[in-house]
Amino acid sequence: MRPGLPVWRSLLYVPVNVEKYVAKAHERGADCILLDLEDSVPAHEKENARKLVAQNAKRVRQAGADVGVRINRPDALAPRDIEAVVGPDVDAIQCPKVDDAAHLKRLDEIVAKLEAKRGLKPGHTKFIAMVETPAAFFKMPEIAAAVERTVAMDIGGEDFALETGMEPTEDTLLMPKQQMIFAARSAGIMPLGYIASVASFADLEAFRRMVKRSRQFGFLGATCIHPTQVAIVNEEYSPSAEEVALAKRIIEGNAMAKAEGRASFAVDGKMIDVPVVVRAERLLARHAAIQARISRGRKP
């Protein structure tokens, strides 16, 4: 993975124009709050919603969360959204329905000019690329690598299923989402999401099972549409205490094996070699990054 990527296990959608949700967003425990200008904001409210971005971004980050904003896709709306979004309190823009690499490059140019104009460090504003159409699916590797500010990629399950004429189930979404993971990983960015749709949150135990399974496929974080999902996503997309303990034993065993001139050894009756050691090292690095993020959020 590319160095310097943010730690986003959970990204909670919050309509930027609904005060009761904005007021409590910082209490939800999400790593990133995604203020929404797109689907949750009706057309007649979008202009007013843009005016709320700067002040509400500052409010929702008060407990240590990063802040992203989901903009609108149409070319008539996206530049106006970006004009309202780029600023010191917005860390990322979620770009829906990305068509291809050229699409992201156009948005990148607009953002870069605004960053320079507003005295922000180049690259301050990160991109989350959303793939939501069959045409974009076949261009995922180029989308993932299009611009340096892209740090994550996701497939919008509901929109993707709609455009492909399929039901958004775990079985139907598994293949395209696996392909997205490969594209994201090949570009060194974070694959976000689940192997199924996030739309159902009534059965939290079923949701937990789905999230746990999703992590096994390589997802690093995911969006949440309801606050009750946040704690589950944070827990399941973090290494468990047992995983951390085992990883430490593997690292210690590897050091002992090296001292004895060996490249492989056994832990709990299982053969350990280089890929397993590297996996353990990455898990401990992930654990340390998550702990640093949690500590930052606890500061007054």
Side-chain angles (χ1 to χ4, degrees):
M1 299 296 288
R2 212 168 68 202
L5 294 176
V7 177
W8 293 337
R9 295 165 298 169
S10 56
L11 302 91
L12 176 64
Y13 282 119
V14 175
V16 71
N17 64 326
V18 181
E19 172 59 24
K20 67 178 182 178
Y21 296 143
V22 171
K24 290 185 175 292
H26 68 283
E27 301 174 359
R28 304 306 190 183
D31 290 338
C32 182
I33 303 296
L34 283 175
L35 296 174
D36 193 21
L37 288 173
E38 196 205 21
D39 286 349
S40 65
V41 179
H44 68 276
E45 271 290 309
K46 290 192 186 292
E47 185 58 39
N48 178 61
R50 290 187 193 102
K51 298 175 183 177
L52 299 173
V53 169
Q55 66 190 61
N56 285 346
K58 190 177 184 71
R59 294 170 65 196
V60 301
R61 69 183 305 119
Q62 63 185 285
D66 290 336
V67 178
V69 180
R70 179 167 67 169
I71 62 172
N72 290 278
R73 168 60 187 90
D75 290 340
L77 297 178
R80 292 156 66 189
D81 289 347
I82 293 172
E83 176 76 27
V85 164
V86 173
D89 292 313
V90 174
D91 303 287
I93 293 174
Q94 188 181 51
C95 307
K97 301 177 179 65
V98 174
D99 291 328
D100 50 27
H103 179 182
L104 278 187
K105 289 176 181 178
R106 290 194 303 272
L107 299 183
D108 178 62
E109 289 179 3
I110 297 172
V111 172
K113 289 177 182 177
L114 287 170
E115 286 177 337
K117 180 180 177 181
R118 295 173 183 178
L120 298 172
K121 180 181 177 182
H124 165 86
T125 314
K126 309 304 181 187
F127 279 174
I128 303 168
M130 295 290 293
V131 172
E132 301 179 76
T133 66
F137 169 81
F138 291 104
K139 300 174 181 177
M140 288 192 296
E142 71 175 62
I143 290 171
V147 296
E148 187 67 22
R149 70 174 75 245
T150 302
V151 296
M153 175 181 274
D154 196 355
I155 282 186
E158 292 293 323
D159 283 290
F160 188 80
L162 174 66
E163 295 299 323
T164 54
M166 67 187 190
E167 293 294 321
T169 68
E170 188 170 316
D171 288 339
T172 61
L173 288 171
L174 177 56
M175 187 280 283
K177 291 206 171 193
Q178 275 193 295
Q179 295 294 312
M180 184 277 295
I181 292 170
F182 301 154
R185 293 279 183 173
S186 70
I189 65 174
M190 299 185 294
L192 300 179
Y194 316 95
I195 54 174
S197 169
V198 69
S200 177
F201 57 85
D203 187 341
L204 290 180
E205 283 308 307
F207 177 72
R208 180 182 290 276
R209 288 193 296 271
M210 188 269 288
V211 177
K212 187 186 294 287
R213 187 160 184 258
S214 296
R215 183 185 159 210
Q216 295 174 346
F217 282 87
F219 291 105
L220 283 178
T223 56
C224 303
I225 62 171
H226 194 275
T228 57
Q229 297 175 326
V230 171
I232 294 173
V233 172
N234 282 347
E235 182 179 343
E236 296 301 338
Y237 279 167
S238 300
S240 67
E242 293 78 13
E243 288 173 317
V244 171
L246 176 58
K248 289 179 178 178
R249 290 175 60 206
I250 290 172
I251 300 301
E252 292 168 359
N254 184 55
M256 293 175 62
K258 277 186 175 181
E260 297 171 0
R262 293 184 289 115
S264 62
F265 56 99
V267 172
D268 297 340
K270 295 181 179 179
M271 183 58 64
I272 307 297
D273 56 7
V274 173
V276 180
V277 173
V278 173
R279 187 176 297 118
E281 291 172 342
R282 291 178 179 176
L283 185 142
L284 292 179
R286 169 77 171 168
H287 173 68
I290 290 170
Q291 293 307 304
R293 148 132 248 144
I294 292 170
S295 296
R296 190 180 77 187
R298 287 173 181 159
K299 291 179 181 178

